[in-house]
Amino acid sequence: MKKSTLKFGFLLAFLFSATVSMAQTITTLGIIGSATANGWTASTSMTHLTTSNGHDWSITLPLTGSGAVKFRTNDDWAVNWGGTGLSGTGTQGGADIVITNSGNYTARINDATGVYSIVLATATATQSASAAILKMAVSPNPASGTASVSYELPATATAAITVQNLMGQSVRQFSAVRQNAGLQSQSLPLQNLASGIYLVKLETGTLTQTTRLVVE
């Protein structure tokens, strides 16, 4: 009986220690690894997106192929996230995230859920101009069940929406609709989509805009 009580006490102490570690105040959050310029020596600080839900962090940086990265807080290993693949839900002390190809990547992570993505940054001047014209937005985001895509059309046009995974593969495609100039929207059913990060792509005439959507 005493041995069982002792083991239970050790278990409680371990769980309490882990909880305190994970609940520490996050001053900075960064990305670290052999794929970064700093290697495993120091974290490269990410930007805290305070205009979002208060838990999102982002950075665009060059990463070297055949290297690996992880996310961690306060330039320390007490709280760190790893995972398999360039998107998913990171786990405490998880595996190194392998970077296959060199290039500029946009990395994002939510410090409350551990959901992360590392995507090749392909934005061009043309895409930026399209974004400024279309002003596309998805809400709510994160979403489950159904979301709404809103945008502005500069002229009457056909608008087509596609949902893609982070590999650029279409997982849901909706019929194109003819709409008038001005503020427009379309419903975006998300049923049967696995939880994760997706790209919502809007194509209308010569304009294209893509935005990120988290499905819960």
Side-chain angles (χ1 to χ4, degrees), residues 86-156:
L86 295 182
S87 67
T89 300
T91 57
Q92 168 69 8
D96 296 348
I97 303 167
V98 177
I99 306 300
T100 303
N101 301 310
S102 299
N104 282 333
Y105 287 79
T106 296
R108 294 175 67 104
I109 189 168
N110 183 294
D111 64 43
T113 64
V115 172
Y116 71 89
S117 66
I118 304 174
V119 183
L120 268 172
T122 57
T124 64
T126 300
Q127 290 172 324
S128 297
S130 295
I133 295 172
L134 294 172
K135 301 177 183 178
M136 177 187 175
V138 179
S139 62
N141 193 1
S144 61
T146 304
S148 178
V149 184
S150 62
Y151 47 91
E152 291 187 17
L153 295 179
T156 299

Side-chain angles (χ1 to χ4, degrees), residues 13-172:
F14 172 78
L15 292 176
F16 176 76
S17 174
T19 300
V20 170
S21 174
M22 290 301 290
Q24 68 167 213
T25 301
I26 297 177
T27 304
T28 62
L29 196 152
I31 188 169
I32 186 172
S34 57
T36 71
N38 294 331
W40 292 105
T41 304
S43 303
T44 302
S45 295
M46 301 176 71
T47 300
H48 188 198
L49 305 178
T50 54
T51 56
S52 183
N53 55 27
H55 293 285
D56 285 335
W57 301 73
S58 177
I59 187 174
T60 298
L61 78 170
L63 295 177
T64 303
S66 300
V69 297
K70 295 185 77 171
F71 299 94
R72 68 178 187 173
T73 65
N74 304 335
D75 207 14
D76 184 79
W77 289 106
V79 177
N80 71 89
W81 293 269
T84 56
L86 295 182
S87 67
T89 300
T91 57
Q92 168 69 8
D96 296 348
I97 303 167
V98 177
I99 306 300
T100 303
N101 301 310
S102 299
N104 282 333
Y105 287 79
T106 296
R108 294 175 67 104
I109 189 168
N110 183 294
D111 64 43
T113 64
V115 172
Y116 71 89
S117 66
I118 304 174
V119 183
L120 268 172
T122 57
T124 64
T126 300
Q127 290 172 324
S128 297
S130 295
I133 295 172
L134 294 172
K135 301 177 183 178
M136 177 187 175
V138 179
S139 62
N141 193 1
S144 61
T146 304
S148 178
V149 184
S150 62
Y151 47 91
E152 291 187 17
L153 295 179
T156 299
T158 298
I161 294 176
T162 305
V163 179
Q164 302 174 327
N165 60 25
L166 292 180
M167 300 298 291
Q169 300 166 325
S170 296
V171 296
R172 188 152 298 179

Side-chain angles (χ1 to χ4, degrees), residues 2-3 5 11 31 53 63 72 123 171 175 180 192 197 204:
K2 289 184 178 179
K3 289 184 178 180
T5 302
L11 177 60
I31 188 169
N53 55 27
L63 295 177
R72 68 178 187 173
V171 296
S175 299
N180 295 324
N192 300 321
I197 301 172
T204 174

